[in-house]
Amino acid sequence: MPDFQKSIDSIYKEVLESPDSSTVASYIPELASVESSKFGIHLIDTNQHNYAAGNSGEKFSVQSISKVLTLSMALGLIGEKIWRRVDVEPSGDPFNHLSLLEQENGIPRNPLINAGAIVIADILVTELENPKEDFLTYVRNLADDTSISYDEKVALSEKGTGFKNYAAANLLKSYGNLRNDVEDVLDFYFHQCSLSMSCKQLCDTFYLFMNRGRCKRDIGYLDINQIKRINALMLTCGFYDEAGEFAFEVGLPGKSGVGGGIVALLPNEFCVATWSPGLNKKGNSARGMQALERLTTMTELSIF
Ligand code: GLN
């Protein structure tokens, strides 16, 4: 095993010293107020040893990272039926693009772009008795951490400016691929995106995707084939129109969010999360990508 702490310490120094031309997301007003200089990294290995640097314990808005967690909950609840309503192909488009949705008759390209995640949110709103509470409980159980919660201010802020998501939900509804009311589904979606978590909590939550479907407490949530599918989707679709670049530079399945978080994993080895709010032009954390490229290059550990 490489000396993860040594690698993380040197990456932390290197990343903070390099020039930064990224910008913090401002289309969700509440996200614009986050300090752009924050940077944290946390890694957990299969022996549950933890390695960290910087602001790794500070909570931030996970945004689209939550799409993996809703997908995993929905897959556990209704299984393969999901794929009748959402496809598994990379879109090559930004996360909020709508053109393909029209061309492909309301079947979103994959569950990790906004339209696909809105269909998954619709499935959960149908299946769960108390959708927001039940999903939060699911995440808390995965992480074994009851301090994880929604950030109501962020959810409300996105509700006020989420016009593209309203457009996506209405388009889905017009094609018959949304069963519940647009308002109910988007209320759930804005809340899932508003989950507030630290790099450490993300590693704890995503542990099962690295550990063949078993969470940190060794409870099985998904079988190995379901985990294979989710990891494949993270690799091919986790970074929107930059998924190729992430596979090329980093070589791990992962997922980003416009709050500046990235979580990535090497099956049966480790799970790592970074947070730096400055985004590149494709909406992915610039320093997070840089840090993860350094990590897999330095340790020579990637899926390739
Ligand atoms: N809540 C955000 C949105 O729907 C999530 C986008 C993201 O993190 N890429 O626009």
Side-chain angles (χ1 to χ4, degrees):
M1 264 292 166
D3 185 340
F4 284 124
Q5 191 59 51
K6 198 167 155 221
S7 306
I8 280 176
D9 287 339
S10 98
I11 291 166
Y12 179 71
K13 207 165 153 268
E14 199 180 310
V15 167
L16 287 189
E17 279 166 3
S18 60
D20 183 17
S21 60
S22 60
T23 44
V24 177
S26 57
Y27 78 101
I28 301 173
E30 198 61 31
L31 295 185
S33 56
V34 178
E35 239 178 273
S36 63
S37 60
K38 300 279 184 185
F39 175 67
I41 179 165
H42 189 102
L43 186 148
I44 186 167
D45 67 17
T46 36
N47 297 320
Q48 301 197 12
H49 292 142
N50 292 278
Y51 311 89
N55 307 110
S56 61
E58 205 169 308
K59 290 187 182 192
F60 59 93
S61 193
V62 307
Q63 292 297 319
S64 282
I65 295 174
S66 66
K67 292 169 179 167
V68 181
L69 301 172
T70 50
L71 172 64
S72 128
M73 189 177 196
L75 199 54
L77 286 169
I78 70 162
E80 303 293 307
K81 279 193 287 186
I82 285 188
W83 313 121
R84 293 182 196 155
R85 295 183 58 189
V86 56
D87 208 347
V88 295
E89 293 297 336
S91 68
D93 273 341
F95 58 86
N96 55 7
H97 251 221
L98 300 175
S99 53
L100 278 174
L101 190 57
E102 272 237 88
Q103 273 169 39
E104 294 172 358
N105 297 322
I107 302 294
R109 270 285 167 114
N110 65 69
L112 302 183
I113 52 170
N114 286 13
I118 291 170
V119 168
I120 302 297
D122 184 52
I123 292 172
L124 292 180
V125 169
T126 300
E127 296 294 323
L128 301 174
E129 206 164 317
N130 301 301
K132 286 188 281 190
E133 291 81 351
D134 297 351
F135 174 62
L136 185 59
T137 304
Y138 176 78
V139 176
R140 287 175 169 176
N141 284 342
L142 284 183
D144 192 20
D145 187 336
T146 52
S147 76
I148 295 171
S149 49
Y150 298 124
D151 184 332
E152 292 292 340
K153 263 164 97 184
V154 171
L156 199 66
S157 176
E158 184 165 13
K159 197 179 179 144
T161 55
F163 306 115
K164 276 231 164 159
N165 288 322
Y166 275 97
N170 279 296
L171 258 182
L172 289 165
K173 190 88 182 163
S174 78
Y175 284 106
N177 200 6
L178 205 79
R179 309 276 150 84
N180 299 282
D181 284 349
V182 165
E183 280 300 339
D184 293 344
V185 177
L186 287 183
D187 181 56
F188 178 85
Y189 174 77
F190 294 142
H191 275 84
Q192 72 168 77
C193 289
S194 83
L195 270 179
S196 187
M197 288 161 80
S198 67
C199 293
K200 176 176 189 314
Q201 289 171 326
L202 276 174
C203 286
D204 290 342
T205 313
F206 273 66
Y207 191 87
L208 84 160
F209 303 111
M210 178 261 290
N211 191 39
R212 306 168 78 86
R214 305 190 75 77
C215 74
K216 271 183 76 180
R217 289 175 297 146
D218 202 30
I219 297 165
Y221 276 82
L222 295 173
D223 66 38
I224 185 73
N225 287 314
Q226 292 170 318
I227 290 294
K228 177 182 76 180
R229 301 219 150 102
I230 293 181
N231 286 341
L233 283 166
M234 282 199 261
L235 185 74
T236 53
C237 313
F239 297 82
Y240 320 111
D241 44 344
E242 206 170 34
E245 178 80 6
F246 194 81
F248 184 82
E249 298 282 349
V250 180
L252 299 174
K255 184 73 200 86
S256 63
V258 289
I262 298 181
V263 56
L265 58 105
L266 181 60
N268 308 313
E269 297 284 348
F270 65 80
C271 183
V272 60
T274 57
W275 174 48
S276 169
L279 307 180
N280 64 19
K281 288 201 177 71
K282 306 272 172 104
N284 297 312
S285 169
R287 285 188 152 163
M289 278 187 70
Q290 185 193 352
L292 294 174
E293 186 281 324
R294 295 306 299 134
L295 180 73
T296 54
T297 303
M298 226 178 243
T299 59
E300 299 183 350
L301 288 175
S302 83
I303 62 166
F304 303 110

